[in-house]
Amino acid sequence: RAGTTHRARLDNESAAMAPSMSLPVMFKHLAMSTLVAAQVSLSIPGPSGFDVCKPTDCFDAKCAGTPVEFKGTKLQLSTWDGTNYSLVGDIQAYSLVQDDFGIFLHGPLFRPAQRNANDVLPSVFVTGSLTDKIFKFDDFRFSGGDMSANMKTVASSPGPSTMYPIPPAYEGGPERLMVAEGNPFFLNPGNHTASMWRGGVQVIDEEKCTTIFPVNPLMSALGRVVNTVECHDSGFCFFSVWKFYDDSLPMLLDDCLYWCKVNAINDPTTCTEVGIVEDDQGTPICHVNGKGGVHGFKIGKDDTSKSNVFDIFLLFTGQGTFDKGDSEVYKIQLQVDHEGGLDSKPKFVKTLSKAEWGTDLWKKTVEKPDHDVGVDHAWIDDDGKYVWVGTFRKQNNGVHMLEYDTGKLIHSVRGIADIIPGKYGYTSGLSGIGAYGKPGSYIALATCEEFGQQFLGGHSAFVLLDISKAPGNGATVIV
C-alpha cells in the first residue's frame, strides 16, 4: 500500500544475524537447540495466539475475586551526588507473592478513574508473562502494617507484557486493554491450550481479542515478540519488538521500534499504516550489536508550539544477562502526520531530534564495561517533573528518579532483589499515580525472578512503593 514505509523490514528476515555468545546464567535450563527449533518452526503453520487470548467473566467485574494481602516491607532510598550514592533511609513498600504470578510479572497499569471513595489506591493491572494471565487488583485498604486488596484474573493472553488503556466500547462498559504480547519460544500454555504464536498486539474487551499487529498475514499468523505498547492522542501507537536475548543469541528477524496509525484512537481495530520509526538521520531504530534494541519506551510531553510533536524516551537493552550487557537511554522528539505529508515523500512519522538522556544512571553508577544497569521501563509522574526508570541488573537493580528536562539522576530505590529471600528478584515494569513527596503517591513495581527459578519453586512479587513519604515537600523518610 502506498505510504507504508519499510514494508520489507516487516515481511523479510534480516540478512544479518547477531553473533552467538555463551549462554548466560538465566538460560542454563534452555539448550540452544530449543531456540533453533522454535525459529525453524517459523515455516510450520500452527494454531495462532487467538485460542490463548480470551477475557474472563471478571473482565467486566462479574466475579467476586479473591482477597489478598500485600505485606509491609522496607526498601532503601539513596541519593546520587554525581559520583557516589549516599543512603537516605528506608522507604515504605508493600509486597504480594502469588502462585499464579509465576516468575515473570510485567506491565503494571494504574487506572486512576477506577477508584472508589474509600480506596487507598485505584485499580491496577499487572501481567503474568509466563502464566499467560492478566490480573486486576482493586478495593485497596490499609490493614495494620499491611495492605489488603481484591485480586481478579481478567483475561488469558499469550505472553503478555505491557498494556495501554482503551475507552469502553459503549457507555457504562468496561475499559478495554491494548496488550503487548511476546513469547520467543512460541509455546503458550495459557487458557488450557498449547498454541504456537510468538506474539503481537491485541485489543481485549469483555467478549473477544482483536489482533492489530503484525499486519502482514504471514507475520500475523506466526507473531512478533512485542514488549512495550503505548499510544498518543494524535492517533498513532508505538510498539517495541524486542527479545530478551538481544546481543546474546542469533536472531532471524530484526527487533525494531514500530509505529502504527490506527483506524480510530478510541476504538482501534487495525493499523491503517505501519512502519519502523527512523532516527533524526533517517536510520531505522532497530537492534544493533553492542547497543541492543528498544526494550521499553515512554511517551512524554507534547510540544505546545508545534502540531503533533511530542517526546519519547527510548530505553535500549542488549544481552540477556544480570551483570554485563548493554544499556542506553535517548530522548527523541517525534512529529506525526495523518496524511503522510512530512518531507517530500509520503511520510507519517519523523524524528526531529535525538539526544542521550540520563547518562549518569547507565554510564556512571556502575563500572562499564564490566557491569551494566540493564534499563527496563519508565513512568513519568503526574507533575511531569520526574521520570522513574527501572533497571534489572545486579549492580544497580531498582527504580530511579531522574529530572525530565535534564536527565539528572536524583534518587534510587533499591532492595528489590531481597524481597523474596534466597531468590534474585529484579524490577521488570512500573506505573504510578501522583508525584514524588505528595500524599497518596505510589509506584506499582512488577518484578521477575532469574530464569530457571520456576524449576525450583520460583515466584515473583508485585510491589507497591509509597513515594509520598520522601525527602522534600515537607515529607519524611523512615530512618
Side-chain angles (χ1 to χ4, degrees):
R1 181 169 61 246
T4 300
T5 61
H6 303 297
R7 178 67 67 184
R9 299 293 290 263
L10 291 168
D11 299 343
N12 300 324
E13 296 180 359
S14 173
M17 295 177 61
S20 179
M21 301 181 183
S22 59
L23 292 176
V25 173
M26 69 184 296
F27 302 139
K28 282 185 177 179
H29 298 277
L30 286 173
M32 177 71 82
S33 59
T34 304
L35 175 63
V36 174
Q39 290 182 328
V40 169
S41 70
L42 278 167
S43 61
I44 303 174
S48 72
F50 313 138
D51 295 328
V52 171
C53 188
K54 183 179 181 181
T56 72
D57 289 341
C58 294
F59 195 91
D60 53 1
K62 293 179 180 177
C63 71
T66 302
V68 294
E69 192 107 332
F70 287 77
K71 298 297 183 181
T73 187
K74 301 292 191 297
L75 298 178
Q76 292 76 54
L77 179 72
S78 296
T79 297
W80 176 256
D81 64 8
T83 305
N84 298 294
Y85 279 114
S86 57
L87 181 65
V88 176
D90 290 339
I91 188 166
Q92 183 66 47
Y94 304 87
S95 172
L96 176 69
V97 178
Q98 292 283 296
D99 288 342
D100 280 351
F101 289 169
I103 67 164
F104 290 158
L105 285 181
H106 288 101
L109 178 67
F110 270 118
R111 302 306 305 132
Q114 298 179 23
R115 186 175 195 167
N116 296 320
N118 296 323
D119 291 345
V120 175
L121 294 173
S123 298
V124 61
F125 293 85
V126 72
T127 64
S129 299
L130 201 62
T131 58
D132 291 345
K133 294 179 180 180
I134 299 175
F135 307 101
K136 180 181 180 181
F137 296 85
D138 52 21
D139 299 330
F140 286 96
R141 303 285 190 277
F142 285 121
S143 177
D146 302 325
M147 190 182 294
S148 64
N150 195 36
M151 173 180 167
K152 304 178 179 74
T153 301
V154 297
S156 296
S157 170
S161 181
T162 59
M163 297 170 285
Y164 182 79
I166 303 296
Y170 55 90
E171 186 175 353
E175 196 172 53
R176 295 169 288 175
L177 296 171
M178 182 183 290
V179 184
E181 301 165 332
N183 176 5
F185 301 107
F186 283 82
L187 181 63
N188 301 290
N191 195 24
H192 308 291
T193 73
S195 295
M196 300 289 287
W197 199 52
R198 294 199 309 164
V201 178
Q202 294 186 302
V203 175
I204 305 177
D205 59 29
E206 73 269 36
E207 296 180 349
K208 64 186 183 303
C209 303
T210 302
T211 300
I212 67 170
F213 179 85
V215 296
N216 173 277
L218 176 60
M219 287 295 102
S220 182
L222 296 170
R224 297 299 306 271
V225 179
V226 181
N227 188 276
T228 306
V229 57
E230 192 172 11
C231 299
H232 186 261
D233 291 341
S234 60
F236 284 79
C237 297
F238 298 86
F239 315 136
S240 67
V241 173
W242 181 87
K243 292 179 285 295
F244 59 84
Y245 53 79
D246 269 8
D247 282 7
S248 292
L249 296 173
M251 294 190 298
L252 294 180
L253 294 173
D254 232 353
D255 284 354
C256 300
L257 178 65
Y258 289 82
W259 60 265
C260 156
K261 190 182 83 166
V262 293
N263 59 311
I265 191 62
N266 290 327
D267 189 22
T269 58
T270 187
C271 296
T272 60
E273 302 287 346
V274 66
I276 297 173
V277 179
E278 297 176 342
D279 66 17
D280 55 340
Q281 302 300 312
T283 302
I285 299 178
C286 295
H287 166 267
V288 176
N289 289 337
K291 296 171 68 73
V294 177
H295 179 178
F297 64 86
K298 185 64 183 176
I299 296 177
K301 300 176 185 178
D302 289 348
D303 187 331
T304 57
S305 67
K306 302 174 184 176
S307 176
N308 288 332
V309 174
F310 49 92
D311 298 333
I312 300 186
F313 295 88
L314 304 181
L315 284 66
F316 289 78
T317 314
Q319 298 191 36
T321 56
F322 291 113
D323 193 0
K324 291 184 179 181
D326 309 315
S327 287
E328 295 182 353
V329 184
Y330 290 86
K331 183 167 76 170
I332 66 173
Q333 189 178 65
L334 280 184
Q335 183 175 19
V336 298
D337 183 89
H338 277 268
E339 303 304 319
L342 301 175
D343 294 338
S344 58
K345 60 182 180 180
K347 193 175 183 70
F348 294 87
V349 176
K350 180 179 180 180
T351 297
L352 304 179
S353 64
K354 173 185 174 184
E356 290 185 345
W357 183 89
T359 53
D360 270 19
L361 175 61
W362 48 278
K363 285 186 177 182
K364 295 179 66 175
T365 63
V366 297
E367 293 291 332
K368 300 283 290 182
D370 293 334
H371 308 287
D372 183 70
V373 296
V375 294
D376 190 70
H377 294 276
W379 168 67
I380 301 169
D381 71 17
D382 291 353
D383 287 348
K385 185 177 180 180
Y386 296 113
V387 182
W388 293 78
V389 176
T391 58
F392 64 88
R393 291 191 169 121
K394 293 182 179 180
Q395 293 293 316
N396 201 3
N397 172 19
V399 59
H400 315 272
M401 189 181 87
L402 300 91
E403 291 181 350
Y404 184 105
D405 292 333
T406 67
K408 180 182 178 182
L409 175 60
I410 307 297
H411 293 306
S412 293
V413 178
R414 296 180 288 185
I416 298 293
D418 302 320
I419 285 181
I420 300 178
K423 302 291 181 68
Y424 179 69
Y426 57 91
T427 307
S428 56
L430 68 162
S431 176
I433 54 167
Y436 178 72
K438 292 192 173 182
S441 299
Y442 281 80
I443 295 177
L445 295 175
T447 74
C448 294
E449 279 194 1
E450 191 170 354
F451 192 86
Q453 295 294 334
Q454 75 271 32
F455 304 114
L456 304 172
H459 296 90
S460 52
F462 190 29
V463 180
L464 303 172
L465 177 65
D466 184 352
I467 60 170
S468 64
K469 296 180 175 64
N473 301 313
T476 58
V477 175
I478 305 163
V479 293

